[in-house]
mmCIF file of all heavy atoms in Angstrom:
data_model
loop_
_atom_site.group_PDB
_atom_site.id
_atom_site.type_symbol
_atom_site.label_atom_id
_atom_site.label_comp_id
_atom_site.label_asym_id
_atom_site.label_seq_id
_atom_site.Cartn_x
_atom_site.Cartn_y
_atom_site.Cartn_z
ATOM 1 N N ASP Q 1 0.830 -1.208 0.000
ATOM 2 C CA ASP Q 1 0.000 0.000 0.000
ATOM 3 C C ASP Q 1 0.865 1.259 0.000
ATOM 4 O O ASP Q 1 0.568 2.234 -0.698
ATOM 5 C CB ASP Q 1 -0.923 0.013 1.209
ATOM 6 C CG ASP Q 1 -2.057 -0.993 1.089
ATOM 7 O OD1 ASP Q 1 -2.291 -1.481 -0.030
ATOM 8 O OD2 ASP Q 1 -2.704 -1.294 2.109
ATOM 9 N N ALA Q 2 1.924 1.256 0.800
ATOM 10 C CA ALA Q 2 2.820 2.414 0.839
ATOM 11 C C ALA Q 2 3.524 2.596 -0.500
ATOM 12 O O ALA Q 2 3.676 3.718 -0.994
ATOM 13 C CB ALA Q 2 3.844 2.253 1.960
ATOM 14 N N GLN Q 3 3.948 1.493 -1.107
ATOM 15 C CA GLN Q 3 4.619 1.566 -2.402
ATOM 16 C C GLN Q 3 3.669 2.081 -3.475
ATOM 17 O O GLN Q 3 4.054 2.874 -4.333
ATOM 18 C CB GLN Q 3 5.162 0.193 -2.796
ATOM 19 C CG GLN Q 3 6.000 0.178 -4.067
ATOM 20 C CD GLN Q 3 7.259 1.021 -3.936
ATOM 21 O OE1 GLN Q 3 7.931 0.979 -2.906
ATOM 22 N NE2 GLN Q 3 7.592 1.770 -4.970
ATOM 23 N N ALA Q 4 2.418 1.638 -3.430
ATOM 24 C CA ALA Q 4 1.425 2.101 -4.407
ATOM 25 C C ALA Q 4 1.181 3.593 -4.247
ATOM 26 O O ALA Q 4 1.008 4.319 -5.243
ATOM 27 C CB ALA Q 4 0.117 1.333 -4.235
ATOM 28 N N SER Q 5 1.161 4.081 -3.009
ATOM 29 C CA SER Q 5 0.965 5.503 -2.765
ATOM 30 C C SER Q 5 2.140 6.314 -3.310
ATOM 31 O O SER Q 5 1.947 7.374 -3.924
ATOM 32 C CB SER Q 5 0.801 5.754 -1.267
ATOM 33 O OG SER Q 5 0.568 7.113 -0.992
ATOM 34 N N LEU Q 6 3.348 5.808 -3.117
ATOM 35 C CA LEU Q 6 4.522 6.496 -3.651
ATOM 36 C C LEU Q 6 4.518 6.478 -5.177
ATOM 37 O O LEU Q 6 4.840 7.486 -5.824
ATOM 38 C CB LEU Q 6 5.799 5.843 -3.127
ATOM 39 C CG LEU Q 6 7.108 6.470 -3.600
ATOM 40 C CD1 LEU Q 6 7.233 7.924 -3.146
ATOM 41 C CD2 LEU Q 6 8.306 5.653 -3.100
ATOM 42 N N GLN Q 7 4.129 5.345 -5.751
ATOM 43 C CA GLN Q 7 4.065 5.263 -7.205
ATOM 44 C C GLN Q 7 3.043 6.251 -7.758
ATOM 45 O O GLN Q 7 3.247 6.822 -8.842
ATOM 46 C CB GLN Q 7 3.693 3.838 -7.633
ATOM 47 C CG GLN Q 7 3.706 3.615 -9.142
ATOM 48 C CD GLN Q 7 5.068 3.876 -9.765
ATOM 49 O OE1 GLN Q 7 6.084 3.376 -9.291
ATOM 50 N NE2 GLN Q 7 5.102 4.669 -10.838
ATOM 51 N N ALA Q 8 1.963 6.490 -7.029
ATOM 52 C CA ALA Q 8 0.971 7.466 -7.450
ATOM 53 C C ALA Q 8 1.571 8.864 -7.501
ATOM 54 O O ALA Q 8 1.230 9.667 -8.382
ATOM 55 C CB ALA Q 8 -0.238 7.439 -6.519
ATOM 56 N N VAL Q 9 2.476 9.175 -6.566
ATOM 57 C CA VAL Q 9 3.166 10.463 -6.602
ATOM 58 C C VAL Q 9 3.988 10.572 -7.881
ATOM 59 O O VAL Q 9 3.962 11.601 -8.577
ATOM 60 C CB VAL Q 9 4.077 10.629 -5.371
ATOM 61 C CG1 VAL Q 9 4.928 11.896 -5.498
ATOM 62 C CG2 VAL Q 9 3.247 10.698 -4.105
ATOM 63 N N PHE Q 10 4.717 9.514 -8.206
ATOM 64 C CA PHE Q 10 5.505 9.510 -9.433
ATOM 65 C C PHE Q 10 4.610 9.688 -10.663
ATOM 66 O O PHE Q 10 4.928 10.474 -11.567
ATOM 67 C CB PHE Q 10 6.284 8.196 -9.570
ATOM 68 C CG PHE Q 10 7.298 7.952 -8.482
ATOM 69 C CD1 PHE Q 10 7.736 6.665 -8.203
ATOM 70 C CD2 PHE Q 10 7.809 8.992 -7.727
ATOM 71 C CE1 PHE Q 10 8.674 6.431 -7.214
ATOM 72 C CE2 PHE Q 10 8.738 8.781 -6.728
ATOM 73 C CZ PHE Q 10 9.174 7.488 -6.472
ATOM 74 N N ASP Q 11 3.503 8.955 -10.702
ATOM 75 C CA ASP Q 11 2.607 9.006 -11.861
ATOM 76 C C ASP Q 11 1.949 10.376 -11.985
ATOM 77 O O ASP Q 11 1.836 10.922 -13.105
ATOM 78 C CB ASP Q 11 1.520 7.931 -11.738
ATOM 79 C CG ASP Q 11 2.085 6.522 -11.828
ATOM 80 O OD1 ASP Q 11 3.224 6.363 -12.314
ATOM 81 O OD2 ASP Q 11 1.386 5.579 -11.401
ATOM 82 N N ASN Q 12 1.514 10.949 -10.867
ATOM 83 C CA ASN Q 12 0.871 12.264 -10.909
ATOM 84 C C ASN Q 12 1.863 13.350 -11.300
ATOM 85 O O ASN Q 12 1.493 14.318 -11.984
ATOM 86 C CB ASN Q 12 0.244 12.589 -9.554
ATOM 87 C CG ASN Q 12 -0.994 11.763 -9.260
ATOM 88 O OD1 ASN Q 12 -1.685 11.321 -10.176
ATOM 89 N ND2 ASN Q 12 -1.280 11.531 -7.990
ATOM 90 N N CYS Q 13 3.108 13.207 -10.876
ATOM 91 C CA CYS Q 13 4.136 14.163 -11.287
ATOM 92 C C CYS Q 13 4.382 14.056 -12.787
ATOM 93 O O CYS Q 13 4.518 15.068 -13.478
ATOM 94 C CB CYS Q 13 5.427 13.896 -10.512
ATOM 95 S SG CYS Q 13 6.792 15.022 -10.924
ATOM 96 N N GLU Q 14 4.407 12.832 -13.277
ATOM 97 C CA GLU Q 14 4.604 12.610 -14.717
ATOM 98 C C GLU Q 14 3.471 13.238 -15.527
ATOM 99 O O GLU Q 14 3.673 13.723 -16.647
ATOM 100 C CB GLU Q 14 4.666 11.107 -14.987
ATOM 101 C CG GLU Q 14 4.842 10.705 -16.432
ATOM 102 C CD GLU Q 14 6.254 10.908 -16.969
ATOM 103 O OE1 GLU Q 14 7.173 11.114 -16.151
ATOM 104 O OE2 GLU Q 14 6.435 10.856 -18.203
ATOM 105 N N ALA Q 15 2.262 13.241 -14.953
ATOM 106 C CA ALA Q 15 1.091 13.772 -15.660
ATOM 107 C C ALA Q 15 0.968 15.288 -15.554
ATOM 108 O O ALA Q 15 0.190 15.895 -16.304
ATOM 109 C CB ALA Q 15 -0.176 13.116 -15.130
ATOM 110 N N ALA Q 16 1.717 15.894 -14.630
ATOM 111 C CA ALA Q 16 1.671 17.354 -14.451
ATOM 112 C C ALA Q 16 2.841 17.974 -15.216
ATOM 113 O O ALA Q 16 4.002 17.729 -14.869
ATOM 114 C CB ALA Q 16 1.751 17.711 -12.978
ATOM 115 N N PRO Q 17 2.589 18.770 -16.244
ATOM 116 C CA PRO Q 17 3.673 19.297 -17.085
ATOM 117 C C PRO Q 17 4.788 19.992 -16.315
ATOM 118 O O PRO Q 17 5.973 19.747 -16.577
ATOM 119 C CB PRO Q 17 2.941 20.271 -18.018
ATOM 120 C CG PRO Q 17 1.553 19.730 -18.108
ATOM 121 C CD PRO Q 17 1.260 19.178 -16.744
ATOM 122 N N SER Q 18 4.435 20.829 -15.356
ATOM 123 C CA SER Q 18 5.474 21.562 -14.628
ATOM 124 C C SER Q 18 6.323 20.627 -13.777
ATOM 125 O O SER Q 18 7.542 20.803 -13.661
ATOM 126 C CB SER Q 18 4.843 22.650 -13.746
ATOM 127 O OG SER Q 18 3.961 22.077 -12.792
ATOM 128 N N CYS Q 19 5.689 19.616 -13.175
ATOM 129 C CA CYS Q 19 6.426 18.665 -12.354
ATOM 130 C C CYS Q 19 7.299 17.764 -13.225
ATOM 131 O O CYS Q 19 8.470 17.500 -12.899
ATOM 132 C CB CYS Q 19 5.444 17.814 -11.540
ATOM 133 S SG CYS Q 19 6.221 16.798 -10.261
ATOM 134 N N LYS Q 20 6.760 17.313 -14.324
ATOM 135 C CA LYS Q 20 7.529 16.461 -15.231
ATOM 136 C C LYS Q 20 8.744 17.195 -15.773
ATOM 137 O O LYS Q 20 9.843 16.630 -15.883
ATOM 138 C CB LYS Q 20 6.647 15.993 -16.383
ATOM 139 C CG LYS Q 20 7.364 15.085 -17.369
ATOM 140 C CD LYS Q 20 6.428 14.623 -18.476
ATOM 141 C CE LYS Q 20 7.156 13.698 -19.452
ATOM 142 N NZ LYS Q 20 6.252 13.218 -20.526
ATOM 143 N N ALA Q 21 8.573 18.468 -16.093
ATOM 144 C CA ALA Q 21 9.691 19.255 -16.622
ATOM 145 C C ALA Q 21 10.763 19.487 -15.561
ATOM 146 O O ALA Q 21 11.960 19.462 -15.853
ATOM 147 C CB ALA Q 21 9.176 20.589 -17.151
ATOM 148 N N ALA Q 22 10.334 19.688 -14.319
ATOM 149 C CA ALA Q 22 11.291 19.961 -13.244
ATOM 150 C C ALA Q 22 11.983 18.698 -12.750
ATOM 151 O O ALA Q 22 13.148 18.749 -12.345
ATOM 152 C CB ALA Q 22 10.567 20.648 -12.083
ATOM 153 N N PHE Q 23 11.266 17.567 -12.783
ATOM 154 C CA PHE Q 23 11.808 16.325 -12.225
ATOM 155 C C PHE Q 23 11.617 15.171 -13.219
ATOM 156 O O PHE Q 23 10.850 14.238 -12.965
ATOM 157 C CB PHE Q 23 11.117 16.006 -10.898
ATOM 158 C CG PHE Q 23 10.979 17.190 -9.985
ATOM 159 C CD1 PHE Q 23 9.724 17.709 -9.670
ATOM 160 C CD2 PHE Q 23 12.096 17.806 -9.440
ATOM 161 C CE1 PHE Q 23 9.580 18.798 -8.819
ATOM 162 C CE2 PHE Q 23 11.970 18.901 -8.600
ATOM 163 C CZ PHE Q 23 10.719 19.404 -8.294
ATOM 164 N N PRO Q 24 12.293 15.202 -14.351
ATOM 165 C CA PRO Q 24 12.057 14.212 -15.409
ATOM 166 C C PRO Q 24 12.503 12.794 -15.058
ATOM 167 O O PRO Q 24 12.067 11.838 -15.696
ATOM 168 C CB PRO Q 24 12.864 14.766 -16.590
ATOM 169 C CG PRO Q 24 13.950 15.581 -15.954
ATOM 170 C CD PRO Q 24 13.315 16.197 -14.740
ATOM 171 N N THR Q 25 13.388 12.646 -14.080
ATOM 172 C CA THR Q 25 13.888 11.309 -13.716
ATOM 173 C C THR Q 25 13.566 11.004 -12.254
ATOM 174 O O THR Q 25 14.379 10.411 -11.536
ATOM 175 C CB THR Q 25 15.402 11.220 -13.965
ATOM 176 O OG1 THR Q 25 16.077 12.251 -13.199
ATOM 177 C CG2 THR Q 25 15.722 11.397 -15.436
ATOM 178 N N LEU Q 26 12.391 11.378 -11.806
ATOM 179 C CA LEU Q 26 12.034 11.300 -10.392
ATOM 180 C C LEU Q 26 12.129 9.876 -9.835
ATOM 181 O O LEU Q 26 12.756 9.652 -8.795
ATOM 182 C CB LEU Q 26 10.615 11.843 -10.188
ATOM 183 C CG LEU Q 26 10.044 11.736 -8.766
ATOM 184 C CD1 LEU Q 26 10.920 12.484 -7.779
ATOM 185 C CD2 LEU Q 26 8.605 12.254 -8.742
ATOM 186 N N ALA Q 27 11.504 8.918 -10.492
ATOM 187 C CA ALA Q 27 11.492 7.547 -9.977
ATOM 188 C C ALA Q 27 12.905 6.981 -9.887
ATOM 189 O O ALA Q 27 13.266 6.333 -8.901
ATOM 190 C CB ALA Q 27 10.614 6.659 -10.852
ATOM 191 N N ALA Q 28 13.706 7.221 -10.911
ATOM 192 C CA ALA Q 28 15.084 6.733 -10.909
ATOM 193 C C ALA Q 28 15.907 7.433 -9.834
ATOM 194 O O ALA Q 28 16.742 6.807 -9.166
ATOM 195 C CB ALA Q 28 15.717 6.935 -12.286
ATOM 196 N N ASP Q 29 15.673 8.729 -9.662
ATOM 197 C CA ASP Q 29 16.391 9.481 -8.623
ATOM 198 C C ASP Q 29 16.047 8.946 -7.234
ATOM 199 O O ASP Q 29 16.922 8.833 -6.371
ATOM 200 C CB ASP Q 29 16.038 10.972 -8.703
ATOM 201 C CG ASP Q 29 16.639 11.646 -9.909
ATOM 202 O OD1 ASP Q 29 17.557 11.060 -10.515
ATOM 203 O OD2 ASP Q 29 16.180 12.748 -10.268
ATOM 204 N N PHE Q 30 14.776 8.632 -7.021
ATOM 205 C CA PHE Q 30 14.369 8.112 -5.716
ATOM 206 C C PHE Q 30 15.038 6.767 -5.440
ATOM 207 O O PHE Q 30 15.539 6.533 -4.329
ATOM 208 C CB PHE Q 30 12.855 7.949 -5.635
ATOM 209 C CG PHE Q 30 12.392 7.390 -4.322
ATOM 210 C CD1 PHE Q 30 12.155 8.229 -3.250
ATOM 211 C CD2 PHE Q 30 12.219 6.023 -4.148
ATOM 212 C CE1 PHE Q 30 11.754 7.716 -2.016
ATOM 213 C CE2 PHE Q 30 11.822 5.508 -2.926
ATOM 214 C CZ PHE Q 30 11.591 6.359 -1.861
#
């Protein structure tokens, strides 16, 4: 459940243009 919640943060960031542009490698960085 915790992992799914974190993955949702990654997915929502990917879907938000400003977040995706600022953090393009978020999942890999984490």
Side-chain angles (χ1 to χ4, degrees):
D1 287 345
Q3 186 63 43
S5 182
L6 180 62
Q7 185 60 49
V9 173
F10 297 158
D11 293 342
N12 288 333
C13 180
E14 179 75 14
S18 60
C19 190
K20 181 179 181 179
F23 315 114
T25 58
L26 176 59
D29 289 344
F30 179 86

